[in-house]
Amino acid sequence: MNGKQRAYQWIKENKLFVLFCLFMAVYYAWHMFYLKPWYDELYTYYSFISRGPVYAAIHWPVPNNHVFYSVLSAFLDWMGNPYIGLRGISFLASMANLCLLYVFAGKFMNRFLAAGCSFLYASVYLVNALSIQGRGYTLATTCYLTALLCLWEICCGRERTREYVIFALALTAGLYTLVSSTFWVLPVCIAGGIVLLLKKEYKKLFKLVGYSLAAAVMTLFLYTLIWLAIGSNLLSKNPDGIYYGIYQVKIILQAPFEALRTGMEYMLSTPYVQSIPRDRAFFELFAYLTTLFDQYFQSMGAEITVFLGIGWIFSVLLSAYSFRRSKQNYFCGIYLAVTIFMLPLMLIVQSVQPYKRVFSFFAVAFCILISMIFEIFCKTCKEKVQRRLLYGGMVFVFVFSAIMLLSPYYNMQFAGRENDIAEITKEEIKDISSICYMDDFQKYVFKFYYDKEPQELPLQEAEYVLLPKELLEESYTAPVWPILVGNDGVDFACLNEQFETVKESEAYILFRKKK
C-alpha cells in the first residue's frame, strides 16, 4: 500500500474526525478575521511582531511578549496581512492541537473516544477564546502535546533519538513562549520519570533526564540573549552610569556580566504573577480553581473541581491496576494523576494565582480524563452495547461541541473598548492624523484599523479629541497604563470652549473643533 492509499484509508476510517477538522478550520479562519483584536494583541503586534523576528527575539520590556510566538508571527507578517501576521500562528497551532490530541488519545483508547476527546477539547470555552488570539497560549499547548506524544513513544513505543530531541525542543519552545509553561513542563517530566522508574528502564530514564536538562540549558541560553539585550539597553540609557550613550553591542562585549545582571534584575522585578501569602494560596485554592474552571464551561467550575478530585483517585487506581497487568493504560493513569496533583501543589508552593488563560493547556488532561472514564464505563457493558455507546458518545460530543461553538457566547467580540473606539470614529473622522489621542487603546486601534499612526498633537492643535471617560473623574489624577494622561493633564477649559461633542459611547466622548 503506497502513501496515497494509506492516506485515503486513514481518512476513510476517521471520516467524522476529518469532517470536524474541516469544520474547525473554517470556524477558526472566520474567527481570525471576524473577532477584532484586543489591546494585548495589538500591543504584541506593534511592539514586537511588526518589528521583525530578530527584534521580537531579544526584547522583553514587559511580560506581554510571548517571545517564541512573536518570533514565528514576525515571519508570517511578511505576507502583508496584519490579521495573518498577528493570529496566523495561533490558527495553525489550534488546528495542530486537535490533530495532536486525537493522535495522543488514540494511543490508549479507541478512535471513537479519541475523536470525542478532541471534540470536547474544542468546545472548552477558554480553548476557544484563545484559539485565534495573537498570544502564545495556544502555541504553548502545541508544545505540550508534542512533548506528551514524544514521552509516550519514549516510555511505551519505539525508542529513537529523534523522540528525545523533539521532546527537548518542545519543552524549550514552550518555556520560550511562556515562562508559565513550567506548570506543564514539570508534570510532564515527572510523569515520564515515574513511568520509567516503575518499568526499571534506568537507561531511558537517565537519557530522559539528560535531554530535559538540555532543554533547560537551551531555554537559559535564549533568555540570556534577552537579558543581555535588556541590560545593555538600560545601561546605555542610564545618564548616571558609566555606559551612558554607548552602543549596546559594545556594552555587551565590554561588560557582559554587568549587562546580564541588569537584564535579569529587570525581568525578575516585573514578574508575570505577583506572589501572595502561602496561607492565602491554600485557603483560596478551591475558589481560585472554581473561577478557573468556570472558564471551561460556564457556571460549572465547582463541579469540575470536585470531578477532578475524584478523577485523581480514579487515575491512581487506573495506574496501579494497569501496571500490575502490564497494560499501556498505566501511562495515561500516571500522566493524569501527576498532572491533576501538580496543579494545586504548584499553586500553593509558588503562592501564586496566575491569569486563568495560563491553564488553557489543562483542558487536554481534563478531556482525556472524561474519555478514559467513559471508556471504562463502556467496558463494563456487553460487547454489543459497547459499540453503540462508543459511537453514540462520539456523535453526542460532536453535536454538543458544534452547539457550543456556534452559540452567541462563544462568538461574542472580546475587544470591547477597542471596538468602541472603532465604532465611534469610523464615520466621523476622515483624517486620523488630526486627532488628539490620550491612551494606547486609541493609538493601536487607529494603526491597526486605519493603517495610520496618529500624531501626538496637543489638544489645542487637534481637529478631534477622543476623551476617555476616566478623565472626567476627579479622583483620576495620575495616569494608569495604558491611559497616557491624568485629568490634571487635560485642558478642560480649552476643550469646553473650542470643541463640541459629536458622539458618546460607553467609554469615550468624541469632540470636534468648532468651526
Side-chain angles (χ1 to χ4, degrees), residues 247-296:
Y247 190 52
Q248 288 178 238
V249 174
K250 194 172 181 181
I251 293 175
I252 293 173
L253 294 174
Q254 288 182 355
F257 294 108
E258 181 68 14
L260 185 65
R261 182 186 63 80
T262 304
M264 287 180 68
E265 287 177 354
Y266 176 82
M267 184 177 278
L268 293 174
S269 68
T270 54
Y272 187 73
V273 180
Q274 297 290 342
S275 296
I276 60 174
R278 183 157 291 136
D279 58 341
R280 182 182 160 195
F282 178 79
F283 289 112
E284 292 181 5
L285 180 63
F286 186 83
Y288 175 78
L289 293 175
T290 297
T291 57
L292 165 62
F293 295 123
D294 274 339
Q295 295 197 29
Y296 276 29

Side-chain angles (χ1 to χ4, degrees), residues 214-232:
V217 171
M218 286 190 290
T219 304
L220 181 63
F221 171 74
L222 291 169
Y223 277 100
T224 297
L225 297 178
I226 297 174
W227 293 330
L228 286 170
I230 294 172
S232 60

Side-chain angles (χ1 to χ4, degrees), residues 21-86:
C21 282
L22 292 173
F23 166 76
M24 292 306 300
V26 174
Y27 179 83
Y28 287 145
W30 169 54
H31 264 204
M32 185 163 66
F33 295 98
Y34 170 72
L35 298 179
K36 303 304 180 186
W38 66 299
Y39 178 80
D40 276 16
E41 290 184 272
L42 296 174
Y43 177 86
T44 299
Y45 183 73
Y46 286 108
S47 297
F48 310 111
I49 295 172
S50 64
R51 300 190 180 193
V54 175
Y55 185 93
I58 61 174
H59 282 77
W60 196 90
V62 292
N64 242 10
N65 185 17
H66 298 171
V67 186
F68 190 49
Y69 182 87
S70 296
V71 171
L72 294 178
S73 297
F75 287 105
L76 274 189
D77 195 46
W78 289 343
M79 295 176 67
N81 186 299
Y83 278 96
I84 293 175
L86 175 61

